Amino acid sequence: MKLHEYQSKLLFAKNGIPIPRGRVAATAREARDIASELGGRVVIKSQVLVGGRGKAGGIRLAKSPSDAEDLATQVLSMTIKGLPVRKVLVDEAADIHKEIYFGITNDRAARRPVVIASSEGGVEIEEVARTDPDKIVREHIDPALGLRDYEIRNIALAIELPREHWRAFEKIAHGLYNTYTQTDATLAEINPLVITGDKRLVALDGKIVLDDNALYRHLDLAEMRDLDEESAQETEARKYGLSYVKLDGEIGCMVNGAGLAMGTMDIVKLFGGAPANFLDIGGGAQADKVTAALRIILSDPKVRAVLINIFGGITRCDEVARGIIAALAELKTHVPMVVRLVGTNEAEGRRLLADANLITAASLADAAQKAVAAAQRAG
Ligand code: GDP
Ligand code: MN
């Protein structure tokens, strides 16, 4: 789950990281009032859960409260990468002397957190990573020991941060690491961390991604979820406890088990198709869950065929088949369905499905080929 910039920055501030003064506004009028409070010169920052807002024109510098109102009107009418802007953060404008990149994320291969920093922060950081990778420094952290002062100094040295800023940088580094660990984040990022004209370090932007699997122990953070930023499909999937990730292909996949779902997507690709989604319906196969899963898959207009791949272990295949048939009776779709069922009572399950005019398959390879062919015929 991603947090908005303003939410991330409030968490930073709680952990002692300096942030600009500012507040969120939902209307241009409010933006004007906040700008007056802050003395006129402000930045109007779209609050949408995507990167690259600056380049998209969603970050604007205002010189006066009335300018702030005009720019907020413009920004609040924008759609950035498909997401409508509903709120803006109105922050006191900073006098930027230098932009630094500073983030912490998980390095799964190393099995530890990694601090990433660069003297070349700002909106071109991806470009820097491509063209000038030496400008990006990394320091792995032993989670049992936490972030050590000497590691912070290593980073400061490597990004050639002037000595006068080291003390402030150390505090910010500890603040960022604490934010990262305490919230069970998978990413905590400040880009840019700026050196201001009056020689202070300030976090101008903030991005935190929380680990959904740890949200149960952060109910206060879970409440920060912005339902407006989620697709209807994602909200629905969460309601039914389905893991759903939308992709770009034309073959909808409904699978029980995350590993099997990954395998199914691979096989679809192998036979020349492209998965429209990852969807793990989890254990059991209650009809309501199957119905919700199919409804989500079929709400994607690109889906030309659906591949259902179920391994019946504890759940019996005939029960799963009944669940699918009940779901289809409710959904009434013409999208071809290919079903592969294996496990307990599979013969009975297959007979029920065949009677209901579904395409059955004996093996996963067979199912994937049938789904790809059905999608091609339908497309
Ligand atoms: P992003 O594009 O979504 O990463 O949004 P950021 O919050 O990082 O803003 C993008 C860029 O806008 C920053 O890298 C800065 O160059 C600029 N910017 C943001 N806030 C201010 C500010 O207060 N003053 C000035 N002069 N520039 C700002
Ligand atoms: Mn940024």
Side-chain angles (χ1 to χ4, degrees), residues 46-293:
S46 51
Q47 297 298 290
V48 280
L49 295 175
V50 288
R53 298 164 303 161
K55 284 190 173 175
I59 308 282
R60 307 289 294 276
L61 200 59
K63 294 188 190 66
S64 65
S66 69
D67 197 16
E69 184 169 1
D70 291 345
L71 291 173
T73 306
Q74 287 177 33
V75 173
L76 284 166
S77 68
M78 288 177 75
T79 297
I80 301 177
K81 298 182 185 170
L83 295 172
V85 180
R86 293 189 168 87
K87 280 176 282 184
V88 290
L89 174 61
V90 184
D91 260 2
E92 187 175 45
D95 167 21
I96 301 176
H97 176 65
K98 180 155 187 61
E99 299 193 327
I100 294 165
Y101 176 93
F102 195 31
I104 305 179
T105 187
N106 288 340
D107 183 343
R108 285 172 184 274
R111 291 192 264 167
R112 31 186 77 190
V114 58
V115 176
I116 303 171
S118 175
S119 57
E120 311 301 308
V123 298
E124 299 294 346
I125 191 69
E126 274 93 8
E127 187 59 21
V128 174
R130 236 187 330 271
T131 57
D132 211 352
D134 292 347
K135 288 278 182 199
I136 309 234
V137 303
R138 292 181 178 76
E139 183 86 27
H140 284 94
I141 310 302
D142 184 331
L145 298 175
L147 179 61
R148 317 294 298 275
D149 285 344
Y150 78 87
E151 292 169 324
I152 300 171
R153 287 193 291 271
N154 282 349
I155 297 161
L157 201 61
I159 63 169
E160 294 172 2
L161 183 72
R163 293 258 168 182
E164 58 184 319
H165 299 298
W166 281 26
R167 193 182 282 273
F169 185 69
E170 236 169 69
K171 193 162 173 246
I172 290 169
H174 284 300
L176 191 65
Y177 189 74
N178 288 342
T179 309
Y180 173 81
T181 51
Q182 282 164 16
T183 61
D184 283 317
T186 56
L187 175 73
E189 180 187 271
I190 307 173
N191 185 35
L193 172 66
V194 300
I195 304 178
T196 62
D198 57 357
K199 296 181 183 295
R200 289 177 302 124
L201 288 185
V202 182
L204 275 211
D205 188 11
K207 180 173 178 184
I208 294 179
V209 181
L210 301 171
D211 183 347
D212 286 339
N213 294 309
L215 270 184
Y216 73 95
R217 51 185 195 188
H218 302 287
L219 297 180
D220 51 331
L221 299 177
E223 271 178 18
M224 291 182 172
R225 189 188 293 277
D226 184 349
L227 292 176
D228 287 340
E229 295 279 309
E230 244 184 10
S231 68
Q233 286 82 351
E234 284 169 324
T235 309
E236 172 101 345
R238 205 155 31 75
K239 192 167 118 201
Y240 285 92
L242 309 162
S243 342
Y244 170 79
V245 180
K246 175 155 167 35
L247 300 165
D248 272 337
E250 69 291 339
I251 299 185
C253 300
M254 183 175 102
V255 189
N256 64 339
L260 192 59
M262 300 293 280
T264 305
M265 291 159 60
D266 283 349
I267 302 272
V268 164
K269 276 238 154 199
L270 181 70
F271 288 110
N277 63 277
F278 166 95
L279 196 160
D280 171 14
I281 62 168
Q286 307 91 322
D288 65 332
K289 231 177 172 181
V290 172
T291 310

Side-chain angles (χ1 to χ4, degrees), residues 24-52:
V24 169
T27 65
R29 181 70 226 193
E30 274 177 78
R32 182 198 180 107
D33 293 343
I34 299 169
S36 309
E37 274 173 42
L38 295 175
R41 282 183 55 85
V42 293
V43 266
I44 303 292
K45 312 190 73 178
S46 51
Q47 297 298 290
V48 280
L49 295 175
V50 288

